Amino acid sequence: MAPVDACPQDGAGALSVEMLSRFAGPCPRYTSYPTADRFLPLEAGNSPAEPWRALRGSTSLSLYVHIPFCRSLCYFCACNKVITQQYGLVSSYIDRLLEEAHWYRDKVADLPVIQLHLGGGTPTFLTDADLRRLVSGLAEVFNLHPPGQVEYSVEADPRTLDPETLETLRELGFNRLSMGVQDFDPRVQQAINRVCDERSVANLTQAARACGFGSISYDLVYGLPHQSADTMRATVKKVLQLAPDRIALYHYAHLPARFKAQRLIDSDAMPSAQEKITMQLAALEELGAAGYQFLGMDHFALPHDELALAAREGRLRRNFQGYTLMPADALIGLGASAISYSADGYWQNHHRLKDYVERIRACGSAAYRGWTLSEDDRLRQHLVMELMCRMRLDKSDLADRAGGPFEKRFAEELRRLQPMFDCGLLRQDADSLYLTEEGRWFARNAASAFDSYLHSEADTGRYSRVL
Ligand code: SF4
């Protein structure tokens, strides 16, 4: 967490320009602890030789399948993707995915799969026939629970989605749809090379509801070229008319030195840091006025949504795909760059398509780096999860886990958190430490105070902003 030495004079405890300026700097997103950028080559240092061995001791499983292909390049994109028009490449990639699935067959036995997530890239790049081939191939290996009892979610690009594919996805059991909307402003869309009219999104939303998707989510992005508080407000108002169950409002980090695609964005069109904050506040105001409940990080849901209900009841959990209701105790990630975990730790596949394909052909697995969890990692993993999901820490529970009083074990961390206490973002009493209403926006900051790797070196430049 960036050091902060004084509170805003006015509005302390309220989400304000001052608060965002002080606390919303770069910080890990904590989809895992330790974060994936700490992973080491397999069999080197603190990396497990065969991390998947602990899969057998698990009781439930999540599956993530990475489809890296996209038809055209969105200039803001920092995802692991392959831009192609050649479908042959895609078809052979599915063959490799299924080979990788088979490699896990004897390692997972009959573990029930309670979540399946297709992410990308663009999962809806696949033809309906290949979507069927993929899911039926997975069902040959894994114990996929009957549709309706599990979360089957898919990320979709509205530019490559049609009502027929939605029907196919529903037939295959998918019940959650996430669409990358980003922004409805034509000038912004041109600047990021992602033109998609509102009517298509509206029609697809209607079609998804008609065929029974239980939850529809939109991704929005602020901080893009040509955006302002006014354009952001206008986009959010249009989105609200379509009433998606969930909304993710992501910050765009412009890092052209790191991501080649972003060099295609005119830097003169980029909003200033101050403008980003005002557009963010405008979006939050609109979402709040429309009744969306803040879940945590950059996620919102209508009060009827089961994630919103789970958040109110303290049942929300978090995994690599974000907030969830059904945390499995192990995850298998299939495909280029996919991450897996079990009770012992994490392992990740090669990022580059070529490396992934070669490794699968050679030995059935493309895992190349990972992390073995120490006892201290497990304690902090639990603590980070509690802060990100429940927004509070139970001191006696942590004292039991840590084998000593919370205040003593985490004295250094509490010192790092002092600015958040001073500004009314955090409070504590004898039983617990908790984020206040305003502090809930800054759960990442609070979690980062407990990240022993982050504080072992002065390097926070690799992470995205908090808000
Ligand atoms: S934003 Fe999505 S569709 Fe666009 S290039 Fe990136 S992964 Fe592909």
Side-chain angles (χ1 to χ4, degrees), residues 112-115 144-152 173 175-176 326:
V113 173
I114 60 171
Q115 279 179 324
L144 298 185
H145 259 43
Q149 295 176 23
V150 290
E151 279 184 359
Y152 277 23
N175 48 16
R176 312 251 185 286
M326 295 185 179

Side-chain angles (χ1 to χ4, degrees), residues 250-313:
Y250 295 113
H251 168 256
Y252 167 61
H254 190 55
L255 301 168
R258 192 161 148 208
F259 301 109
K260 214 169 151 191
Q262 297 183 358
R263 293 176 208 160
L264 296 165
I265 291 178
D266 177 5
S267 52
D268 290 341
M270 289 303 300
S272 67
Q274 195 68 16
E275 284 169 328
K276 284 193 202 178
I277 288 175
T278 57
M279 67 180 74
Q280 179 192 11
L281 288 174
L284 297 183
E285 194 181 300
E286 294 296 333
L287 292 176
Y292 279 82
Q293 182 185 320
F294 177 60
L295 301 178
M297 292 279 291
D298 19 40
H299 289 73
F300 302 81
L302 284 170
H304 70 257
D305 188 89
E306 51 190 356
L307 278 188
L309 186 63
R312 292 197 294 276
E313 294 174 353

Side-chain angles (χ1 to χ4, degrees), residues 30-281:
Y30 293 114
T31 47
S32 67
Y33 181 83
T35 49
D37 53 345
R38 310 285 165 191
F39 295 174
L40 296 171
L42 286 187
E43 299 183 42
N46 184 27
S47 187
E50 291 192 351
W52 39 84
R53 287 172 78 164
L55 284 171
R56 280 199 164 272
S58 306
T59 56
S60 58
L61 188 63
S62 280
L63 282 183
Y64 170 77
V65 183
H66 189 74
I67 308 291
F69 305 101
C70 304
R71 288 210 183 122
S72 61
L73 178 65
C74 307
Y75 297 162
F76 68 98
C77 182
C79 297
N80 182 38
K81 78 278 180 188
V82 174
I83 309 298
T84 185
Q85 311 298 326
Q86 297 172 29
Y87 198 79
L89 201 61
V90 179
S91 203
S92 66
Y93 180 76
I94 295 173
D95 294 340
R96 302 291 87 73
L97 284 174
L98 295 178
E99 277 172 39
E100 188 185 12
H102 276 272
W103 186 84
Y104 281 105
R105 182 174 220 153
D106 61 340
K107 297 168 183 66
V108 295
D110 211 26
L111 271 182
V113 173
I114 60 171
Q115 279 179 324
L116 169 63
H117 184 90
L118 300 190
T122 310
T124 47
F125 192 100
L126 302 189
T127 61
D128 289 12
D130 273 337
L131 282 168
R132 288 182 200 282
R133 184 160 79 91
L134 174 64
V135 175
S136 64
L138 293 174
E140 282 175 21
V141 177
F142 299 107
N143 178 11
L144 298 185
H145 259 43
Q149 295 176 23
V150 290
E151 279 184 359
Y152 277 23
S153 51
V154 58
E155 296 169 12
D157 179 346
R159 298 170 305 165
T160 59
L161 183 63
D162 56 45
E164 292 71 34
T165 298
L166 285 168
E167 294 280 358
T168 301
L169 287 164
R170 279 295 296 137
E171 273 174 43
L172 294 172
F174 287 88
N175 48 16
R176 312 251 185 286
L177 176 72
S178 165
M179 279 198 279
V181 170
Q182 329 305 5
D183 193 300
F184 278 141
D185 188 283
R187 200 163 168 227
V188 176
Q189 291 191 351
Q190 291 282 354
I192 59 171
N193 196 37
R194 189 183 170 102
V195 175
C196 178
D197 69 89
E198 297 149 44
R199 188 176 297 273
S200 307
V201 174
N203 290 344
L204 289 166
T205 303
Q206 199 176 30
R209 288 201 173 109
C211 67
F213 276 88
S215 177
I216 297 169
S217 175
Y218 289 178
D219 289 350
L220 303 179
V221 179
Y222 73 92
L224 293 171
H226 298 298
Q227 276 180 331
S228 65
D230 287 346
T231 65
M232 197 70 223
R233 209 179 273 281
T235 286
V236 175
K237 280 182 191 287
K238 286 175 184 168
V239 161
L240 294 176
Q241 284 173 6
L242 305 177
D245 306 278
R246 301 173 190 172
I247 292 176
L249 177 67
Y250 295 113
H251 168 256
Y252 167 61
H254 190 55
L255 301 168
R258 192 161 148 208
F259 301 109
K260 214 169 151 191
Q262 297 183 358
R263 293 176 208 160
L264 296 165
I265 291 178
D266 177 5
S267 52
D268 290 341
M270 289 303 300
S272 67
Q274 195 68 16
E275 284 169 328
K276 284 193 202 178
I277 288 175
T278 57
M279 67 180 74
Q280 179 192 11
L281 288 174

